[in-house]
mmCIF file of all heavy atoms in Angstrom:
data_model
loop_
_atom_site.group_PDB
_atom_site.id
_atom_site.type_symbol
_atom_site.label_atom_id
_atom_site.label_comp_id
_atom_site.label_asym_id
_atom_site.label_seq_id
_atom_site.Cartn_x
_atom_site.Cartn_y
_atom_site.Cartn_z
ATOM 1 N N CYS A 1 6.723 -6.108 0.899
ATOM 2 C CA CYS A 1 5.988 -5.054 1.593
ATOM 3 C C CYS A 1 5.600 -3.997 0.571
ATOM 4 O O CYS A 1 6.473 -3.369 -0.033
ATOM 5 C CB CYS A 1 6.833 -4.449 2.703
ATOM 6 S SG CYS A 1 5.989 -3.157 3.648
ATOM 7 N N VAL A 2 4.307 -3.818 0.397
ATOM 8 C CA VAL A 2 3.793 -2.820 -0.533
ATOM 9 C C VAL A 2 3.409 -1.575 0.237
ATOM 10 O O VAL A 2 2.708 -1.655 1.253
ATOM 11 C CB VAL A 2 2.581 -3.361 -1.312
ATOM 12 C CG1 VAL A 2 2.042 -2.292 -2.257
ATOM 13 C CG2 VAL A 2 2.960 -4.617 -2.075
ATOM 14 N N VAL A 3 3.861 -0.447 -0.258
ATOM 15 C CA VAL A 3 3.568 0.839 0.378
ATOM 16 C C VAL A 3 2.525 1.568 -0.458
ATOM 17 O O VAL A 3 2.642 1.644 -1.681
ATOM 18 C CB VAL A 3 4.829 1.698 0.495
ATOM 19 C CG1 VAL A 3 4.534 2.983 1.263
ATOM 20 C CG2 VAL A 3 5.939 0.924 1.178
ATOM 21 N N SER A 4 1.526 2.102 0.196
ATOM 22 C CA SER A 4 0.501 2.879 -0.494
ATOM 23 C C SER A 4 0.240 4.162 0.269
ATOM 24 O O SER A 4 0.672 4.336 1.404
ATOM 25 C CB SER A 4 -0.782 2.056 -0.639
ATOM 26 O OG SER A 4 -1.285 1.704 0.630
ATOM 27 N N GLY A 5 -0.467 5.060 -0.382
ATOM 28 C CA GLY A 5 -0.755 6.346 0.249
ATOM 29 C C GLY A 5 0.288 7.384 -0.140
ATOM 30 O O GLY A 5 0.726 7.439 -1.276
ATOM 31 N N ASP A 6 0.690 8.200 0.801
ATOM 32 C CA ASP A 6 1.647 9.276 0.538
ATOM 33 C C ASP A 6 3.072 8.723 0.495
ATOM 34 O O ASP A 6 3.899 9.013 1.366
ATOM 35 C CB ASP A 6 1.531 10.357 1.597
ATOM 36 C CG ASP A 6 0.211 11.091 1.535
ATOM 37 O OD1 ASP A 6 -0.375 11.156 0.435
ATOM 38 O OD2 ASP A 6 -0.255 11.589 2.578
ATOM 39 N N THR A 7 3.365 7.969 -0.535
ATOM 40 C CA THR A 7 4.673 7.326 -0.621
ATOM 41 C C THR A 7 5.807 8.332 -0.766
ATOM 42 O O THR A 7 6.946 8.035 -0.456
ATOM 43 C CB THR A 7 4.708 6.346 -1.798
ATOM 44 O OG1 THR A 7 4.395 7.057 -2.995
ATOM 45 C CG2 THR A 7 3.697 5.225 -1.600
ATOM 46 N N TRP A 8 5.486 9.555 -1.204
ATOM 47 C CA TRP A 8 6.520 10.587 -1.337
ATOM 48 C C TRP A 8 7.112 10.953 0.015
ATOM 49 O O TRP A 8 8.185 11.544 0.101
ATOM 50 C CB TRP A 8 5.923 11.848 -1.970
ATOM 51 C CG TRP A 8 4.730 12.366 -1.215
ATOM 52 C CD1 TRP A 8 3.421 12.086 -1.448
ATOM 53 C CD2 TRP A 8 4.743 13.235 -0.066
ATOM 54 N NE1 TRP A 8 2.623 12.711 -0.526
ATOM 55 C CE2 TRP A 8 3.398 13.431 0.318
ATOM 56 C CE3 TRP A 8 5.753 13.870 0.648
ATOM 57 C CZ2 TRP A 8 3.050 14.232 1.400
ATOM 58 C CZ3 TRP A 8 5.407 14.666 1.728
ATOM 59 C CH2 TRP A 8 4.061 14.830 2.093
ATOM 60 N N ASP A 9 6.378 10.603 1.064
ATOM 61 C CA ASP A 9 6.791 10.978 2.422
ATOM 62 C C ASP A 9 7.790 9.995 3.017
ATOM 63 O O ASP A 9 8.197 10.133 4.165
ATOM 64 C CB ASP A 9 5.553 11.062 3.326
ATOM 65 C CG ASP A 9 5.847 11.788 4.620
ATOM 66 O OD1 ASP A 9 6.647 12.752 4.590
ATOM 67 O OD2 ASP A 9 5.301 11.393 5.670
ATOM 68 N N THR A 10 8.171 8.987 2.250
ATOM 69 C CA THR A 10 9.096 7.990 2.762
ATOM 70 C C THR A 10 10.377 8.009 1.941
ATOM 71 O O THR A 10 10.358 8.295 0.750
ATOM 72 C CB THR A 10 8.483 6.589 2.720
ATOM 73 O OG1 THR A 10 8.165 6.258 1.360
ATOM 74 C CG2 THR A 10 7.195 6.543 3.536
ATOM 75 N N ASN A 11 11.495 7.713 2.588
ATOM 76 C CA ASN A 11 12.767 7.678 1.879
ATOM 77 C C ASN A 11 13.645 6.512 2.317
ATOM 78 O O ASN A 11 14.793 6.405 1.898
ATOM 79 C CB ASN A 11 13.519 8.998 2.064
ATOM 80 C CG ASN A 11 13.575 9.402 3.524
ATOM 81 O OD1 ASN A 11 14.179 8.726 4.336
ATOM 82 N ND2 ASN A 11 12.930 10.499 3.865
ATOM 83 N N ALA A 12 13.102 5.674 3.148
ATOM 84 C CA ALA A 12 13.824 4.481 3.576
ATOM 85 C C ALA A 12 12.820 3.489 4.128
ATOM 86 O O ALA A 12 11.760 3.877 4.637
ATOM 87 C CB ALA A 12 14.862 4.811 4.638
ATOM 88 N N MET A 13 13.173 2.231 4.017
ATOM 89 C CA MET A 13 12.337 1.185 4.594
ATOM 90 C C MET A 13 13.227 0.140 5.228
ATOM 91 O O MET A 13 14.406 0.021 4.902
ATOM 92 C CB MET A 13 11.439 0.554 3.530
ATOM 93 C CG MET A 13 10.349 1.492 3.039
ATOM 94 S SD MET A 13 9.184 0.688 1.942
ATOM 95 C CE MET A 13 8.408 -0.470 3.072
ATOM 96 N N ALA A 14 12.631 -0.586 6.121
ATOM 97 C CA ALA A 14 13.397 -1.601 6.830
ATOM 98 C C ALA A 14 12.501 -2.770 7.201
ATOM 99 O O ALA A 14 11.268 -2.651 7.210
ATOM 100 C CB ALA A 14 14.046 -1.009 8.071
ATOM 101 N N TRP A 15 13.142 -3.854 7.512
ATOM 102 C CA TRP A 15 12.482 -5.022 8.069
ATOM 103 C C TRP A 15 13.007 -5.219 9.488
ATOM 104 O O TRP A 15 14.222 -5.209 9.712
ATOM 105 C CB TRP A 15 12.763 -6.265 7.240
ATOM 106 C CG TRP A 15 12.061 -6.281 5.920
ATOM 107 C CD1 TRP A 15 12.552 -5.854 4.717
ATOM 108 C CD2 TRP A 15 10.743 -6.754 5.665
ATOM 109 N NE1 TRP A 15 11.621 -6.021 3.737
ATOM 110 C CE2 TRP A 15 10.495 -6.583 4.285
ATOM 111 C CE3 TRP A 15 9.738 -7.317 6.452
ATOM 112 C CZ2 TRP A 15 9.292 -6.943 3.680
ATOM 113 C CZ3 TRP A 15 8.541 -7.675 5.855
ATOM 114 C CH2 TRP A 15 8.321 -7.490 4.484
ATOM 115 N N PHE A 16 12.073 -5.393 10.390
ATOM 116 C CA PHE A 16 12.379 -5.801 11.751
ATOM 117 C C PHE A 16 11.731 -7.165 11.976
ATOM 118 O O PHE A 16 10.839 -7.562 11.239
ATOM 119 C CB PHE A 16 11.809 -4.793 12.763
ATOM 120 C CG PHE A 16 12.596 -3.510 12.864
ATOM 121 C CD1 PHE A 16 12.525 -2.551 11.857
ATOM 122 C CD2 PHE A 16 13.399 -3.241 13.959
ATOM 123 C CE1 PHE A 16 13.235 -1.359 11.947
ATOM 124 C CE2 PHE A 16 14.116 -2.066 14.065
ATOM 125 C CZ PHE A 16 14.029 -1.124 13.052
ATOM 126 N N ARG A 17 12.170 -7.847 13.001
ATOM 127 C CA ARG A 17 11.540 -9.110 13.362
ATOM 128 C C ARG A 17 11.428 -9.207 14.872
ATOM 129 O O ARG A 17 12.208 -8.604 15.604
ATOM 130 C CB ARG A 17 12.305 -10.298 12.797
ATOM 131 C CG ARG A 17 13.715 -10.481 13.371
ATOM 132 C CD ARG A 17 14.435 -11.602 12.632
ATOM 133 N NE ARG A 17 15.794 -11.792 13.128
ATOM 134 C CZ ARG A 17 16.679 -12.600 12.567
ATOM 135 N NH1 ARG A 17 16.351 -13.308 11.477
ATOM 136 N NH2 ARG A 17 17.891 -12.724 13.088
ATOM 137 N N GLN A 18 10.437 -9.968 15.282
ATOM 138 C CA GLN A 18 10.230 -10.172 16.709
ATOM 139 C C GLN A 18 9.863 -11.620 16.953
ATOM 140 O O GLN A 18 8.823 -12.099 16.485
ATOM 141 C CB GLN A 18 9.150 -9.238 17.247
ATOM 142 C CG GLN A 18 9.037 -9.254 18.753
ATOM 143 C CD GLN A 18 8.233 -8.074 19.280
ATOM 144 O OE1 GLN A 18 7.479 -7.425 18.557
ATOM 145 N NE2 GLN A 18 8.407 -7.765 20.554
ATOM 146 N N ALA A 19 10.713 -12.296 17.698
ATOM 147 C CA ALA A 19 10.454 -13.678 18.086
ATOM 148 C C ALA A 19 9.744 -13.676 19.431
ATOM 149 O O ALA A 19 9.837 -12.704 20.189
ATOM 150 C CB ALA A 19 11.776 -14.435 18.178
ATOM 151 N N PRO A 20 9.031 -14.743 19.756
ATOM 152 C CA PRO A 20 8.311 -14.805 21.028
ATOM 153 C C PRO A 20 9.231 -14.561 22.212
ATOM 154 O O PRO A 20 10.309 -15.161 22.310
ATOM 155 C CB PRO A 20 7.754 -16.233 21.040
ATOM 156 C CG PRO A 20 7.623 -16.584 19.606
ATOM 157 C CD PRO A 20 8.793 -15.931 18.927
ATOM 158 N N GLY A 21 8.834 -13.642 23.073
ATOM 159 C CA GLY A 21 9.604 -13.360 24.269
ATOM 160 C C GLY A 21 10.829 -12.499 24.052
ATOM 161 O O GLY A 21 11.591 -12.252 24.990
ATOM 162 N N LYS A 22 11.016 -12.010 22.839
ATOM 163 C CA LYS A 22 12.195 -11.191 22.540
ATOM 164 C C LYS A 22 11.771 -9.812 22.049
ATOM 165 O O LYS A 22 10.635 -9.603 21.629
ATOM 166 C CB LYS A 22 13.063 -11.887 21.495
ATOM 167 C CG LYS A 22 13.691 -13.188 21.974
ATOM 168 C CD LYS A 22 14.689 -13.712 20.964
ATOM 169 C CE LYS A 22 15.376 -14.970 21.478
ATOM 170 N NZ LYS A 22 16.376 -15.489 20.505
ATOM 171 N N GLU A 23 12.720 -8.890 22.102
ATOM 172 C CA GLU A 23 12.460 -7.550 21.622
ATOM 173 C C GLU A 23 12.499 -7.518 20.091
ATOM 174 O O GLU A 23 13.097 -8.378 19.454
ATOM 175 C CB GLU A 23 13.497 -6.580 22.194
ATOM 176 C CG GLU A 23 13.412 -6.394 23.698
ATOM 177 C CD GLU A 23 14.353 -5.321 24.206
ATOM 178 O OE1 GLU A 23 15.167 -4.820 23.413
ATOM 179 O OE2 GLU A 23 14.262 -4.978 25.391
ATOM 180 N N ARG A 24 11.864 -6.490 19.560
ATOM 181 C CA ARG A 24 11.893 -6.315 18.120
ATOM 182 C C ARG A 24 13.314 -5.966 17.681
ATOM 183 O O ARG A 24 13.970 -5.113 18.272
ATOM 184 C CB ARG A 24 10.906 -5.218 17.713
ATOM 185 C CG ARG A 24 10.610 -5.160 16.238
ATOM 186 C CD ARG A 24 9.384 -4.318 15.950
ATOM 187 N NE ARG A 24 8.178 -4.920 16.506
ATOM 188 C CZ ARG A 24 6.950 -4.512 16.220
ATOM 189 N NH1 ARG A 24 6.765 -3.490 15.378
ATOM 190 N NH2 ARG A 24 5.915 -5.090 16.766
#
């Protein structure tokens, strides 16, 4: 995952996943 723009405004990142019919 590449972040662009105001990257100074971020201090953490995460991965979520969503399978069909399920919540993220």
Side-chain angles (χ1 to χ4, degrees):
C1 181
V2 179
V3 185
S4 61
D6 293 333
T7 57
W8 55 267
D9 195 36
T10 60
N11 49 65
M13 290 187 66
W15 288 94
F16 284 74
R17 65 186 179 187
Q18 189 165 18
K22 294 188 177 181
E23 294 186 353
R24 193 165 295 191

